[in-house]
Amino acid sequence: MKLLTLGGAAVEGVTYRREKPLLLLAYLCLEGPQPRRRLASLFWPDAANPMNSLAQNLIRLRALPGAVLEQGGRVEALIPSDAQAFRDHCLAARPSDALALYHGAFLDGLNITLNPDLEEWLLDTRETLALEARAAHLTQAEHHHAHGEHPQTHAHATHAYHVPGAPPCDPEDLLRLWQILGHTDHPLTLTLRRDASELALTLPAPAPTLPATPLIGRAAELAALAALPPGQIAWISSPPGLGKTALLDHLAGHGWRVLPARSGPPLATLQPLSAHPLSSAADALNLLRDTRLKLALDDWEDMDDATRTVLTLAARQHPGATLAITARQPPALPTPHHLPLHALTEHDLQAHPGAHAATGGHPTLLAAHLNGTPPEQTLDAHLTLLGPDHRHLLIALAAQDPPNLAATRAALNLTPDTLAATLHTLTREGLTTPDGQVLTTTARQLLNAHPLTTTLTHLHLARHHPRETAWPHWLAARHYWEPHDLPACAAAAHWHADQQMKSGHPARAARTLESAPQTDAVNLLRGWAELRTGNATAAQRTVDDTHPTPTHRPRPWQILAAACALKLGHLNILRELLDTLDHTGAPPEARTVHLRGMLALREARDAEARTLFRQAGLRFRSEGLPGDAVIAESLVAMLNVRQGQPVHAAFRDVLHASRPFPRERVHVLTNYVYSLTATHAPDTDVNAAYEETVTLAEQTNDLEGGAAAWNTWGVHAHLARDYEQAAHRYRRALHLVEGTGNLRLHGLIQSNLSELTDDHAQLAATLDLLSGAGHDTLSQTIQNNILR
């Protein structure tokens, strides 16, 4: 027993014509259990005793046993209704099942007077259901349009426009219909033009009518069907969209009778075989006794029950006809002839270059690709038929590289069984691999077609991905972070930026951290990233903005401040900060030891500097920072050259060790070429080394490293009395160092250029600047060099 409300008001299998009780029953079916007082006030607001009127109508419903349940002060409908089933099919993206139930407007022809509130509910519900029916027809029309199936396309488009109970088409639906019909001579196109004119809506160029796509890559299946003996049944199975119907359409031209499934009265699917109405299973079986008959039946799941019963009997009796049945699931009938359809292979599509990469061999996407339709639109329509789980999963997988199935399942709130089944379907269709890798570029194009869905998917993925892989998803959803997301988001950004730093890309790390929630840890790493890019001024600003009071800075921030002081050329400040760090009693970190070595080097205490750099290199390696270690080791090599060790012997090991770290290698090469120049190595060796250094500095965007290399190369030309080349190189160095805040390097380059151009005033100003910043040793060295 079922309540029928679409197209009228009745109860299936029962003669019951009391309209008010049926309306009450329909309300309960759609709105769920209700308080008795709510029902009484809504249905009988003007009655002398509304509660009594409700009771009388509930008594009348007892003629339908089990239709309602009265429990305390609540009333609940227990009878199923076509309207609720229709809604369930719509929500589950089963448009064909939904439309099979929509026989007309909700409660059409009701002849009772309704109060305003109840009438409003009835009209709103009628319109809502009708709009859902229109959406289902449009989905079906777009699906058939993508397949080049013109009769079905036109039928669904017409039904979409004329849905009983629906208001006039809104602009969005008009545009969808126009894209489907605008290139045809269908009569509805004139109506669409008129409606668009009334709405002041400009109709775009419609999508062209698609030609039928030839059958590709099904030679084995066609051969198996051609060899099928009389009386045998072949079962052709696959998820929707893999070409079952196209295969049967091909059979229609090769001696087969093809019948689509019908879900109407008993034996409706087989009725076209007979000139007279079929009254029994025996009548239908008699039709199947013809051994010359080759019958292909499309879509087992949508057939009427009586036809399925007859085919089950035929599978046992083998009456004579050769049968082929398509279905979405594996065989429901015993048969040795099972033909599962899969996605087409690259070999199948070798005559169509690029088709497999674009479509993954999926026949529905292939048809669109060959006909010139944007494949993502076809995939979109196809996913609507498969259901929301398939759409959400494919978008989530396309948003990851590589996919994390555990995080995906949690992000989409899927049970393990649902994830496995949905992924299995996508894999059978050739859209993914079993581990979730997306096989078609069209799926990634789908991300752009649904930006909001994609962004929210990234947000859910970010919340469930491990810290090591979460940041790209947090970044993609940055406008949707909630307060409780910020700690995990900051941790993911910090880890991601730290990996960028370790791989030699501090500029990328700085950009990552600028987009992250600004926690203390994020700001600290951002300061180091800015320092590594050569922007010591920005790094110092980060220190001052985060911890403006120097005496209250945590130790990690004091170390960063000391590194900034070194880069900015403030040796006096560096000494004070290192003394403060030593007085805390904490064991020295690798960076602190390295900074002490740099201070000793600047003050010409070479033996002490060499010892400190050796210690720093060992500490860096123990802390898992090999990139920093090679810089310290190259400084040891440079100091060893000063003590008389040959350049190539001193630098051989560290040059090899620095190859995996391009940014750090710039510093290693700079120290190497400085040593070559200082030892008057042959020009061929020197120039080749300088070329590599400045090229690598440019590739890694290392402004300081490039400036130091160009400056030292300028010194080499200066000493060789090639003054024009020296001036060119000094100016290249000055251009690179501007804005970095490195006072020492800027002063060193400027003094070299001033000496070359005999600009004594500029030279004096530069030396005063260096002395004032604590670079007395450097200032004195420059003066001694000039005197020599």
Side-chain angles (χ1 to χ4, degrees):
M1 187 168 60
K2 180 192 290 186
L3 177 63
L4 304 177
T5 62
L6 297 173
V11 178
E12 188 178 61
V14 177
T15 301
Y16 189 93
R17 296 189 175 88
R18 293 181 177 272
E19 291 189 331
K20 196 66 172 275
L22 287 177
L23 176 59
L24 174 62
L25 191 55
Y27 184 86
L28 290 170
C29 285
L30 290 176
E31 302 298 330
Q34 299 290 320
R36 295 174 71 96
R37 291 194 176 278
R38 160 73 178 152
L39 293 173
S41 63
L42 177 62
F43 278 77
W44 296 276
D46 301 323
N49 188 342
M51 292 294 287
N52 183 61
S53 298
L54 171 62
Q56 291 298 320
N57 279 269
L58 291 174
I59 290 171
R60 294 185 182 113
L61 284 174
R62 290 175 187 171
L64 305 173
V68 295
L69 173 65
E70 301 177 54
Q71 193 169 27
R74 297 177 68 80
V75 182
E76 178 181 358
L78 300 182
I79 186 174
S81 76
D82 58 351
Q84 187 56 53
F86 170 81
R87 277 187 165 172
D88 292 341
H89 287 313
C90 289
L91 288 173
R94 297 188 293 264
S96 60
D97 294 331
L99 293 174
L101 296 174
Y102 196 84
H103 302 297
F106 178 66
L107 295 179
D108 191 28
L110 207 62
N111 290 316
I112 55 176
T113 302
L114 303 177
N115 65 74
D117 289 342
L118 192 55
E119 183 178 25
E120 181 180 0
W121 173 83
L122 173 62
L123 295 177
D124 285 347
T125 305
R126 178 178 292 167
E127 181 174 313
T128 300
L129 294 173
L131 289 175
E132 290 175 357
R134 174 174 287 159
H137 276 300
L138 283 169
T139 296
Q140 292 290 76
E142 289 168 340
H143 173 73
H144 290 297
H145 181 66
H147 284 73
E149 298 164 353
H150 309 313
Q152 298 95 320
T153 300
H154 295 172
H156 280 290
T158 303
H159 289 316
Y161 187 85
H162 296 292
V163 169
C169 284
D170 62 22
E172 181 180 350
D173 289 343
L174 279 177
L175 289 174
R176 291 175 69 183
L177 285 169
W178 179 254
Q179 289 292 343
I180 295 168
L181 299 176
H183 261 304
T184 72
D185 57 358
H186 193 281
L188 194 58
T189 56
L190 298 176
T191 306
L192 296 177
R193 289 181 184 276
R194 181 201 63 206
D195 292 350
S197 176
E198 292 176 356
L199 293 171
L201 180 67
T202 301
L203 293 174
T209 302
L210 301 178
T213 303
L215 189 67
I216 298 172
R218 297 299 185 200
E221 290 83 355
L222 290 171
L225 291 170
L228 198 65
Q232 294 295 308
I233 293 180
W235 192 271
I236 306 167
S237 68
S238 77
L242 280 190
K244 299 184 295 295
T245 300
L247 183 62
L248 295 198
D249 289 344
H250 185 82
L251 292 178
H254 293 78
W256 288 74
R257 178 74 184 274
V258 178
L259 297 180
R262 297 182 181 181
S263 56
L267 301 174
T269 302
L270 295 173
Q271 182 60 57
L273 294 176
S274 174
H276 308 288
L278 296 174
S279 58
S280 67
D283 288 346
L285 281 171
N286 281 332
L287 294 173
L288 301 180
R289 296 191 186 281
D290 185 355
T291 57
R292 296 169 300 175
L293 177 62
K294 290 187 173 184
L295 180 62
L297 298 154
D298 194 13
D299 209 336
W300 169 266
E301 285 83 2
D302 285 347
M303 292 178 190
D304 60 276
D305 292 339
T307 295
R308 283 199 289 259
T309 300
V310 168
L311 294 175
T312 303
L313 291 171
R316 297 173 186 162
Q317 299 176 11
H318 305 293
T322 304
L323 303 177
I325 304 171
T326 70
R328 296 188 285 272
Q329 300 298 329
L333 302 178
T335 176
H337 309 287
H338 178 210
L339 305 177
L341 299 188
H342 301 286
L344 301 174
T345 66
E346 288 189 68
H347 177 75
D348 294 329
L349 300 178
Q350 60 184 346
H352 306 280
H356 192 271
T359 67
H362 191 288
T364 297
L365 304 185
L366 177 64
H369 178 78
L370 297 179
N371 288 325
T373 300
E376 66 273 14
Q377 293 182 11
T378 305
L379 179 59
D380 215 356
H382 179 64
L383 290 172
T384 300
L385 293 177
L386 288 180
D389 285 345
H390 297 80
R391 174 192 296 280
H392 294 154
L393 179 58
L394 189 60
I395 287 177
L397 295 176
Q400 303 173 75
D401 187 24
N404 181 322
L405 290 183
T408 302
R409 186 185 70 78
L412 300 182
N413 196 26
L414 300 175
T415 65
D417 289 347
T418 302
L419 173 65
T422 308
L423 182 58
H424 177 67
T425 299
L426 295 178
T427 301
R428 286 186 64 192
E429 295 209 7
L431 297 173
T432 65
T433 63
D435 63 356
Q437 292 279 357
V438 172
L439 292 177
T440 167
T441 56
T442 302
R444 303 198 188 282
Q445 294 166 3
L446 198 62
L447 300 178
N448 296 328
H450 295 280
L452 179 58
T453 299
T454 299
T455 299
L456 293 177
T457 299
H458 277 297
L459 180 63
H460 294 309
L461 287 170
R463 289 170 175 168
H464 293 92
H465 258 260
R467 176 196 61 180
E468 293 78 6
T469 53
W471 173 246
H473 302 294
W474 284 121
L475 184 62
R478 59 189 175 276
H479 299 304
Y480 293 85
W481 296 344
E482 297 185 63
H484 62 81
D485 291 324
L486 300 184
C489 180
H494 187 280
W495 190 92
H496 188 78
D498 190 48
Q499 300 307 302
Q500 291 174 316
M501 291 275 284
K502 290 176 179 176
S503 63
H505 299 287
R508 297 180 189 174
R511 289 194 295 271
T512 294
L513 296 165
E514 286 173 3
S515 303
Q518 298 302 293
T519 64
D520 194 74
V522 163
N523 284 328
L524 179 64
L525 188 59
R526 181 157 65 95
W528 282 110
E530 290 164 341
L531 195 65
R532 287 291 184 89
T533 60
N535 196 345
T537 303
Q540 183 63 54
R541 188 162 53 246
T542 299
V543 173
D544 295 336
D545 290 346
T546 309
H547 291 283
T549 307
T551 55
H552 292 86
R553 285 172 185 158
R555 184 176 179 86
W557 284 93
Q558 291 179 333
I559 297 172
L560 175 58
C564 289
L566 173 67
K567 288 290 186 181
L568 292 169
H570 302 151
L571 293 190
N572 294 331
I573 297 175
L574 176 60
R575 291 188 195 94
E576 294 175 5
L577 289 170
L578 289 174
D579 289 343
T580 301
L581 287 168
D582 287 346
H583 291 153
T584 62
E589 305 86 346
R591 293 193 190 282
T592 308
V593 175
H594 186 81
L595 288 168
R596 281 216 161 274
M598 291 301 298
L599 180 61
L601 182 64
R602 298 285 187 259
E603 295 177 342
R605 293 181 278 120
D606 287 4
E608 181 184 352
R610 183 166 51 250
T611 300
L612 289 168
F613 288 138
R614 283 199 180 104
Q615 294 176 1
L618 292 172
R619 290 177 184 272
F620 277 131
R621 292 199 178 276
S622 69
E623 293 176 11
L625 299 170
D628 294 278
V630 296
I631 294 177
E633 291 159 1
S634 72
L635 289 165
V636 173
M638 184 185 72
L639 291 169
N640 285 339
V641 171
R642 288 185 184 178
Q643 293 297 310
Q645 187 176 1
V647 175
H648 294 294
F651 277 89
R652 181 178 57 249
D653 291 341
V654 71
L655 283 172
H656 177 74
S658 67
R659 290 192 180 278
F661 314 104
R663 192 172 190 88
E664 288 78 2
R665 183 171 172 80
V666 173
H667 295 268
V668 173
L669 287 170
T670 301
N671 293 331
Y672 172 59
V673 294
Y674 173 82
S675 298
L676 287 173
T677 295
T679 56
H680 307 289
D683 281 353
T684 53
D685 292 351
V686 173
N687 287 329
Y690 276 115
E691 286 284 359
E692 181 184 358
T693 307
V694 297
T695 300
L696 189 58
E698 183 177 356
Q699 290 172 349
T700 58
N701 196 32
D702 186 345
L703 301 180
E704 282 189 354
W710 279 106
N711 176 63
T712 311
W713 202 4
V715 171
H716 181 78
H718 198 156
L719 294 175
R721 301 182 183 277
D722 186 351
Y723 300 130
E724 182 178 352
Q725 192 63 252
H728 167 70
R729 291 169 183 170
Y730 288 149
R731 290 190 176 96
R732 287 290 298 271
L734 271 180
H735 175 71
L736 289 174
V737 81
E738 286 175 358
T740 65
N742 192 326
L743 180 62
R744 177 185 181 278
L745 182 57
H746 192 282
L748 183 61
I749 300 167
Q750 184 63 63
S751 65
N752 288 336
L753 182 60
S754 299
E755 177 190 348
L756 182 68
T757 57
D758 287 330
D759 189 343
H760 301 292
Q762 181 65 48
L763 178 62
T766 302
L767 294 176
D768 288 343
L769 180 66
L770 291 172
S771 297
H775 293 283
D776 297 311
T777 303
L778 175 62
S779 178
Q780 189 61 49
T781 299
I782 292 172
Q783 293 182 61
N784 293 339
N785 289 339
I786 294 173
L787 290 174
R788 283 200 300 270

